[in-house]
Amino acid sequence: NAGVTQTPKFRILKIGQSMTLQCTQDMNHNYMYWYRQDPGMGLKLIYYSVGAGITDKGEVPNGYNVSRSTTEDFPLRLELAAPSQTSVYFCASSYSKTEAFFGQGTRLTVV
Amino acid sequence: KNEVEQSPQNLTAQEGEFITINCSYSVGISALHWLQQHPGGGIVSLFMLSSGKKKHGRLIATINIQEKHSSLHITASHPRDSAVYICAVREEYGNKLVFGAGTILRVKS
C-alpha cells in the first residue's frame, strides 16, 4: 500500500531557483493538501484541492503554485526560491471530511 | 491567539507514567484529529473524533464539544512513545484542518 508518496525527501536550492515537489496518492481521495511545517509552529496550509481541476489558496500561498490535473497527483511549484521557504513540506489527502493521510515530508533548504 | 492551542509544549516523563496532552480550540468544528510525528518522520493519524471517547491500545482520546477541549492520554508510557503529538481540528463549515503547534513528548527509561 503506497498511500501518499512525496518526492524528493531532501533538496537544497539556491535563491532564485525553481523546483516542483511531487505528491501522488493511490487511495482515490478527492481532497489533497500541501502544508509547511516550521520549527515550533503548527502546520500551515499552503494550497488545497477538493478534486481534479479545482485548487484554492490556504493560509500561506505566496511564492507557490499548484495544479491538479488528475485525482492522483498534486504537485507544488516554487518559482523563485527564497530563504523564507526553507521548511519541511507535507502533502496529505483525504475523502471529504475523514481521516487525513500524510506523506513522509520533503525537507527543503534554500541558501 | 491561535485557533488551536496545545499544552504542554514540552513534556518529559518516566517510563510507565500516565501522560495527558491537552488541546483547546476556539472555532466550531466537525471533527478533531490527534496525530503523531516521530523525529525526522512522517505524520500518522492516531484518532479522529467528534464526540465522546476513543481508545486504541494504550492511547485514549476524549473530546468535550461544549468546552471546546480534547485530551490525549497515554497509559503505561514507553520510550517508543517519544514523539510530537499534534492536535488538529476540521472547521465546521470548511475543508481545512487547522493545526496546533504540537507537544514534544520524551519518555525516559
Side-chain angles (χ1 to χ4, degrees), chain B:
Chain B
K1 189 181 188 311
N2 291 334
E3 291 176 337
V4 181
E5 297 275 357
Q6 285 186 239
S7 63
Q9 286 184 298
N10 289 280
L11 178 57
T12 300
Q14 283 296 132
E15 184 174 358
E17 284 186 359
F18 180 85
I19 288 163
T20 296
I21 299 170
N22 296 299
C23 176
S24 297
Y25 53 91
S26 58
V27 295
I29 68 169
S30 60
L32 183 142
H33 299 250
W34 281 103
L35 307 156
Q36 181 191 58
Q37 183 178 25
H38 282 285
I43 297 171
V44 176
S45 179
L46 297 174
F47 295 103
M48 184 181 78
L49 63 166
S50 54
S51 65
K53 176 178 168 177
K54 286 191 176 180
K55 185 174 188 291
H56 181 29
R58 295 179 295 105
L59 301 177
I60 303 165
T62 64
I63 188 168
N64 185 318
I65 295 293
Q66 287 73 30
E67 294 186 4
K68 292 187 163 61
H69 182 269
S70 175
S71 293
L72 176 69
H73 305 286
I74 304 175
T75 62
S77 59
H78 190 277
R80 65 174 175 268
D81 297 325
S82 298
V84 178
Y85 291 85
I86 302 168
C87 172
V89 300
R90 188 176 293 282
E91 295 172 326
E92 190 171 11
Y93 299 112
N95 301 314
K96 307 171 208 176
L97 285 172
V98 180
F99 289 79
T103 294
I104 302 171
L105 171 65
R106 181 179 169 220
V107 181
K108 298 194 289 186
S109 56

Side-chain angles (χ1 to χ4, degrees), chain A residues 14-47:
Chain A
K14 293 185 178 176
I15 294 171
Q17 285 186 319
S18 61
M19 76 165 293
T20 299
L21 281 68
Q22 302 290 347
C23 176
T24 187
Q25 52 93 7
D26 62 357
M27 296 171 283
N28 203 34
H29 286 164
N30 51 341
Y31 283 42
M32 294 188 75
Y33 310 84
W34 274 106
Y35 295 94
R36 59 177 287 172
Q37 184 180 42
D38 299 309
M41 310 283 287
L43 278 78
K44 300 292 184 188
L45 182 64
I46 305 171
Y47 271 94

